[in-house]
Amino acid sequence: MLSNSSKYAINAVLYVAVNSSIENKILAKDISRETQIPQAYLSKLMQELTRHNLISSVRGPNGGFYLTDENRGVSLLQIVNVIDGDNRLTSCMLGLHACDHQHPCAVHHLVGDTKTRFVENLEKTTVQDLVSDIKSGKSFLGI
Amino acid sequence: MLSNSSKYAINAVLYVAVNSSIENKILAKDISRETQIPQAYLSKLMQELTRHNLISSVRGPNGGFYLTDENRGVSLLQIVNVIDGDNRLTSCMLGLHACDHQHPCAVHHLVGDTKTRFVENLEKTTVQDLVSDIKSGKSFLGI
DNA sequence: AGATTTAAAGACTTTTTTATCCTTTTTATG
DNA sequence: CATAAAAAGGATAAAAAAGTCTTTAAATCT
């Protein structure tokens, strides 16, 4: 479904979203420890997310990662697209280029609407939405 | 979503389903040419499917691949499970072991039912179902 | 200014997935 | 029985993904 890297990225961003603020930034080392994501690899992913302005960071003492209000409005799809590339989720299930609604592949109809709905969910769900869920106890943050 | 290998496998099985019968078996070479799947790699996949009795084959002159009536009742999920392993589709979206319905991860609810429904679709859709669709022009077989 | 802390960046290694090549076994047929 | 046709099987190679290590740049604090 998602690559390992995307899973890591979402977990890490959520961890930052819940546990940090501009005054209270969080280090790659700490994210790594709490999420079990290998530190060096995590750093790469965070770098990439920062470069695309999906999260924020500052270097040096008291630096680290944090989210601005704008960052909190980022959707899960944006995160996935930056890490996995734009068409991992939307490409044809059988890998056929010619496949679309007019000209559906053999499995298109049995995937079509559920996949579309799933991608739509990823698109409309923001980091902040998930933080609210977590804070209200609706879901938990992985360890 | 699915690995390349699974996509190949489904495409190949469907090609065999539509274009062959016990009297008219089809060669790896021909499947490869028509589906654009690299022959040697395709052979490996077919081998694996044969070993798990999802498709049938005979060696030697006039040999090749074909499907029995039983093979035509095989579900897409069986194919995917043989090629990709059992939990590629059912594991947690964020890769968390502790995630389940009682204890859902942050993205669980926005994936939960669509993913479940998708896997159910794969489970209940047989090769024969897709052949019917293709023959009635509802969908097409990739090239 | 110098030392320290931290992310950014780049080079590298390992593992997994995808792909190829070559040999062996099975089956049919002349 | 010899030969050819085909899948099965094993060993290897190439590419992509995942992961590590080392150096560089930026920010802060004495």
Side-chain angles (χ1 to χ4, degrees):
Chain A
M1 201 74 112
L2 303 181
S3 70
N4 241 294
S5 297
S6 273
K7 292 178 185 180
Y8 283 170
I10 293 174
N11 275 308
V13 170
L14 290 180
Y15 188 81
V16 172
V18 169
N19 295 292
S20 83
S21 61
I22 302 190
E23 313 84 55
N24 185 25
K25 307 189 186 64
I26 186 162
L27 308 183
K29 184 177 55 169
D30 295 329
I31 304 169
S32 167
R33 178 171 18 80
E34 297 303 317
T35 59
Q36 315 277 21
I37 303 167
Q39 180 176 342
Y41 197 63
L42 171 69
S43 290
K44 284 281 135 95
L45 297 171
M46 298 303 268
Q47 230 175 87
E48 195 69 9
L49 295 172
T50 301
R51 210 137 51 75
H52 285 83
N53 296 306
L54 303 189
I55 65 176
S56 303
S57 72
V58 294
R59 308 197 242 196
N62 293 314
F65 296 96
Y66 66 99
L67 301 189
T68 62
D69 286 350
E70 203 178 343
N71 293 154
R72 289 176 190 273
V74 161
S75 73
L76 296 185
L77 189 60
Q78 287 179 274
I79 296 173
V80 172
N81 282 347
V82 161
I83 302 297
D84 281 348
D86 279 354
N87 52 12
R88 168 143 186 160
L89 286 171
T90 51
S91 63
C92 168
M93 277 283 297
L94 293 184
L96 309 180
H97 285 297
C99 173
D100 59 31
H101 274 301
Q102 267 73 44
H103 203 224
C105 78
V107 305
H108 199 92
H109 70 279
L110 63 97
V111 183
D113 62 330
T114 63
K115 192 171 74 167
T116 304
R117 206 172 319 140
F118 170 57
V119 174
E120 280 169 4
N121 279 347
L122 286 184
E123 190 168 19
K124 75 171 185 237
T125 304
T126 65
V127 170
Q128 186 53 50
D129 292 338
L130 295 184
V131 170
S132 305
D133 288 355
I134 293 165
K135 290 204 165 151
S136 74
K138 236 198 210 161
S139 60
F140 79 106
L141 199 49
I143 296 205
Chain B
M1 201 75 113
L2 302 181
S3 69
N4 241 294
S5 297
S6 273
K7 293 178 185 180
Y8 283 171
I10 293 174
N11 275 307
V13 170
L14 290 181
Y15 187 82
V16 172
V18 169
N19 296 290
S20 82
S21 60
I22 303 189
E23 312 85 55
N24 184 25
K25 307 189 186 65
I26 186 164
L27 307 184
K29 184 178 55 168
D30 296 328
I31 303 170
S32 168
R33 180 172 15 82
E34 297 303 317
T35 59
Q36 315 277 21
I37 304 167
Q39 180 176 343
Y41 196 63
L42 171 68
S43 290
K44 287 280 135 96
L45 297 171
M46 297 303 269
Q47 229 177 87
E48 196 68 9
L49 295 173
T50 301
R51 209 140 51 74
H52 285 82
N53 296 308
L54 303 189
I55 64 176
S56 304
S57 71
V58 295
R59 308 199 242 196
N62 295 313
F65 296 97
Y66 66 98
L67 301 189
T68 61
D69 285 349
E70 203 178 343
N71 293 154
R72 288 175 190 274
V74 162
S75 73
L76 296 184
L77 189 61
Q78 286 180 275
I79 295 173
V80 172
N81 282 346
V82 160
I83 301 297
D84 281 349
D86 278 355
N87 52 10
R88 168 145 187 159
L89 287 170
T90 50
S91 63
C92 167
M93 276 284 297
L94 292 184
L96 309 178
H97 286 298
C99 172
D100 58 33
H101 274 300
Q102 267 75 45
H103 203 224
C105 78
V107 305
H108 199 91
H109 70 281
L110 63 96
V111 183
D113 62 330
T114 63
K115 192 170 74 168
T116 304
R117 205 171 322 138
F118 170 56
V119 174
E120 281 168 3
N121 279 346
L122 286 184
E123 191 168 18
K124 75 170 183 237
T125 303
T126 65
V127 169
Q128 185 53 49
D129 293 338
L130 296 184
V131 170
S132 305
D133 288 354
I134 293 167
K135 291 206 165 153
S136 74
K138 237 198 212 162
S139 60
F140 79 105
L141 198 51
I143 295 205

